[in-house]
Amino acid sequence: MGDWSWEWLPSLEEVAAGLPSEVLSAVEKAAADLATVNSMVYLDGVDFQSTGPGIRTHSDPARNLLFEYLTVPRQECISITQVTWLGL
């Protein structure tokens, strides 16, 4: 199991500017959890040779939160590409 990480793609300002800190915290925690899960799914990590799963969606109905992320096994990284929050 590698040292997977997560990032905002292209940047926090582009993806989630203006969201409340509690929403950002929820996204960050979920992204860290997804990185951990994907490190167990893509055991080859940097040596992965197949096509990755593409853009996927994570939802948190309790927080009215949805975000899209890209899993990049060869970089051992989860990239958050879009966040949608419907408010409280």
Side-chain angles (χ1 to χ4, degrees), residues 1-7 24-42 56 58-60 63 65 67 69 71 76-80:
M1 191 163 56
D3 293 324
W4 279 59
S5 62
W6 69 273
E7 66 182 6
L24 291 176
S25 294
V27 172
E28 291 169 357
K29 179 175 180 345
D33 291 345
L34 288 167
T36 299
V37 167
N38 279 277
S39 74
M40 292 182 252
V41 173
Y42 299 99
R56 294 187 281 177
H58 175 81
S59 63
D60 183 344
R63 290 186 174 87
L65 176 65
F67 66 85
Y69 66 98
T71 301
E76 296 185 335
C77 185
I78 301 294
S79 298
I80 307 302

Side-chain angles (χ1 to χ4, degrees), residues 6-20 23-24 27-28 31 55 65-70 78-85:
W6 69 273
E7 66 182 6
W8 301 100
L9 183 68
S11 68
L12 171 62
E13 294 76 24
E14 294 287 327
V15 177
L19 291 175
V23 173
L24 291 176
V27 172
E28 291 169 357
I55 295 282
L65 176 65
L66 176 84
F67 66 85
E68 292 183 348
Y69 66 98
L70 177 64
I78 301 294
S79 298
I80 307 302
T81 60
Q82 180 177 347
V83 178
T84 303
W85 178 63

